[in-house]
Amino acid sequence: MKRVALYIRVSTQEQSIHGLSLEAQQASLGEWAKREQVEVVGRYADPGISARKKAAKRPGLQRMLADVRAGKIDLIVFTKLDRWFRNVGEYYKVQEVLEQHHVDWKTIYEDYDTSTAAGRLKINIMLSVAQDEADRTSERIKVVFDAKRERREPLTGNCPTGYRIEGKKLVKNEKTQEAVEAFFRKFLSSGSISEAQALVWEEYHFRIEYQLASKMLDSPVYHGHYYGVEDMCPPYITKEEFEKIQAMRKRTVRKVKDNRVYLFSGLIVCGECGYRMGGRTNTRGGTPFYNCPSRYIRKVCGNGVNLAESKIEAFILETIDAKLSQYRIDFDRFRSSQKERNYQAEIAAVKNKLSRLKELYLNELISLEEFRRDQEPLRARLEELTEAAKPVRIPDFGRAEALLSQGWRPAYEDLDRASRRDFWRLLIKEIRIYADRRIDYDLAL
C-alpha cells in the first residue's frame, strides 16, 4: 500500500472569489483516498499563500518535503496543478527533491505523466499558462490598487488601530481617538511602551497589547503615510515626531532592578566608541552613575570613566539655556546664508558643463576616458548642490523654548525622578561622555 501525502493550498483571494476553500479540497482528497484505499500518512496545508510564492516561504510544503527526505512518503496528491505551483522555476526546484527520493505526485482532477517527454512538456505548458495568468491577475490588481491610492482609498477593509473607514476613506475612530493620542503623547515624553500602555488602560480602559503597541510606534500610518502614499489618512503625530519615535526606539528605556529610574537612560553614549552607556548604582551609597559596557564588559573601549548622574545633570542644567540660544543663532545664520546663495544658478551651470562635455565626446573631440574622468567630479558636484538646495527642515524651537521658559528651574526641582527623566527625553537627543570626562549633548529639535 502506497504511503500518500495530501497537499492543499489556497490564497485568500482565490478562496473568496472561486470558492477553492481548504475544506473543499480536503473533502475531495479524502474521498479519493478512501476510494483508492491508500494509506494517508500526512495532510499538509498552506492557507492564504499564493502559488507564486517561493517554496521556501510555504510552511506546509516545507514540512512535507522534510517528510519526503525522511523517507515517509511515496506519493503526493493534490486536486489540480495550480494548487501545486504557478511558477515553473520553483516547480523544478521541488521536483528535483522528489526525484532524488523517488516520490511521485498526482492530481485527482487532471491527468499528468512525468515519465515521458510529452508529459513533461504538457506540465511545462500548463505551468507557464498558470504563471502567465497569475502575472496578468497581479497586473490587474496593481492597476486597481494604484487607482485606489490616487483616490486616497484604503486597499483593504483592515483598519489600523485608531481608524475606521467612512465613505471609502480612512478617518479617526472617535471611540479610540483620545486613547491613541494619549498613547503617542506618553511614549514621546517617557520613551517607555509599558508606561504608555498603562496610561491608556488607567485613563481610557483601552488595552493595547505590547506587540500591537510596538507595531503602532513603527507604523508611518500614524503620520498619514499609508500604502506608500502621503496624506492617505488623518495623522495622529507629525512626521518629525514619527522620526523622533524611531530614534527613541533605538534607545528604549528598559526596566531595571528594583524599578530604579535613571534620568538619562537611553540618552548617553560613549564619546569614544559610540556604544550606549548603561546606568548603574553605587552599591555603597546608592548613587546613580554611567559607564561604557564596551569597556567593562566587552573590554574593547578605552573610556574608563564612571560619571555620576548628578554631575551630568548639573552640567546640563547650567548650560542648556545657552545651548538653546546658540542653536537658534546658528540656524538663523544658516538659513540666511541659504537664502543668499543661488543654488539653482549653480546647478544650471554644472548641468551646462555636463552637456558641453557630452557634446565634445559625441563629436569625438575627447576620448571616452577623458569624458569619464571629467564627468565624475561634475556629477558629484551636481549631487552636492541638489542636496544643499533642498528645503531646510525648521527645528521645533517652540516646544523647547516653552519647556525652558522663564522660571522653569524651580518647577524642575519639584519634579519626581520619573518626571525629570521624561523632561530630559523631550529636550535631549543624545549625550556623549568622553574619556577625559568631557560632556557634550545635542538638543531634540
Side-chain angles (χ1 to χ4, degrees), residues 195-439:
E195 289 186 21
Q197 287 175 292
L199 174 75
V200 296
W201 173 247
E202 290 169 7
E203 295 192 7
Y204 301 95
H205 299 289
F206 183 60
R207 189 179 299 282
I208 302 177
E209 300 298 338
Y210 187 90
Q211 188 175 5
L212 174 59
S214 180
K215 185 177 179 181
M216 288 170 65
L217 292 169
D218 290 339
S219 175
V221 66
Y222 292 98
H223 71 77
H225 185 93
Y226 201 30
Y227 300 121
V229 179
E230 293 290 351
D231 303 320
M232 189 74 165
C233 54
Y236 276 93
I237 54 176
T238 65
K239 188 173 183 180
E240 288 71 29
E241 286 174 327
F242 175 76
E243 290 170 353
K244 182 180 179 182
I245 287 172
Q246 304 320 299
M248 292 172 72
R249 295 273 280 152
K250 295 177 183 177
R251 45 183 170 86
T252 302
V253 176
R254 292 178 173 80
K255 291 183 179 179
V256 294
K257 189 177 179 182
D258 300 328
N259 294 318
R260 296 191 187 103
V261 173
Y262 293 95
L263 299 187
F264 306 108
S265 178
L267 292 175
I268 301 183
V269 299
C270 174
E272 308 298 330
C273 69
Y275 207 80
R276 198 159 298 283
M277 284 188 161
R280 308 280 186 270
T281 300
N282 187 296
T283 53
R284 288 176 295 179
T287 305
F289 68 94
Y290 299 83
N291 61 22
C292 180
S294 194
R295 162 64 182 262
Y296 291 97
I297 299 175
R298 300 172 67 208
K299 312 290 186 184
V300 295
C301 179
N303 189 352
V305 169
N306 292 281
L307 200 58
E309 184 177 83
S310 58
K311 291 187 177 180
I312 301 170
E313 183 183 23
F315 174 78
I316 296 175
L317 285 170
E318 184 181 336
T319 59
I320 194 164
D321 285 316
K323 172 83 78 171
L324 179 58
S325 296
Q326 191 60 49
Y327 264 53
R328 169 69 81 174
I329 292 168
D330 291 343
F331 176 73
D332 289 343
R333 186 181 296 132
F334 171 73
R335 187 163 58 173
S336 177
S337 68
Q338 290 287 99
K339 288 179 180 178
E340 292 172 2
R341 188 167 178 179
N342 190 345
Y343 281 105
Q344 297 308 318
E346 292 186 57
I347 289 171
V350 174
K351 286 182 176 179
N352 190 36
K353 287 181 181 179
L354 282 167
S355 179
R356 291 204 308 270
L357 185 66
K358 184 178 179 181
E359 287 179 12
L360 289 173
Y361 171 64
L362 292 175
N363 291 325
E364 299 182 352
L365 296 174
I366 59 173
S367 66
L368 180 59
E369 271 187 28
E370 290 173 315
F371 171 70
R372 287 175 175 170
R373 182 197 64 206
D374 295 340
Q375 183 194 47
E376 188 175 340
L378 287 172
R379 283 194 175 280
R381 179 61 177 158
L382 182 61
E383 288 178 11
E384 180 185 326
L385 290 169
T386 303
E387 185 65 29
K390 289 181 179 178
V392 179
R393 188 186 74 83
I394 301 174
D396 182 11
F397 288 108
R399 183 182 61 186
E401 289 171 346
L403 287 168
L404 299 177
S405 59
Q406 190 173 7
W408 70 272
R409 283 290 296 272
Y412 175 82
E413 299 298 337
D414 289 338
L415 297 176
D416 59 28
R417 287 185 62 79
S419 298
R420 289 188 184 190
R421 181 199 64 195
D422 294 351
F423 177 82
W424 292 125
R425 291 184 74 85
L426 285 170
L427 278 172
I428 294 176
K429 179 180 180 181
E430 182 180 275
I431 303 169
R432 293 173 294 281
I433 296 177
Y434 296 89
D436 59 2
R437 306 183 72 82
R438 180 166 49 92
I439 303 171

Side-chain angles (χ1 to χ4, degrees), residues 148-156 158-173 177 180-181 184 216 219-239 242:
K148 285 191 171 186
R149 287 189 182 96
E150 287 181 11
R151 296 192 298 267
R152 302 297 192 270
E153 294 177 6
L155 307 191
T156 70
N158 297 326
C159 293
T161 301
Y163 290 96
R164 64 181 180 84
I165 296 176
E166 181 182 290
K168 295 186 178 180
K169 298 289 183 182
L170 278 171
V171 298
K172 289 183 179 180
N173 188 336
Q177 180 176 343
V180 172
E181 288 171 348
F184 281 106
M216 288 170 65
S219 175
V221 66
Y222 292 98
H223 71 77
H225 185 93
Y226 201 30
Y227 300 121
V229 179
E230 293 290 351
D231 303 320
M232 189 74 165
C233 54
Y236 276 93
I237 54 176
T238 65
K239 188 173 183 180
F242 175 76

Side-chain angles (χ1 to χ4, degrees), residues 39-58:
E39 178 189 1
V40 177
V41 294
R43 293 173 172 81
Y44 307 86
D46 278 320
I49 294 181
S50 166
R52 295 296 311 278
K53 210 172 233 346
K54 290 184 177 181
K57 301 290 186 180
R58 292 161 67 172

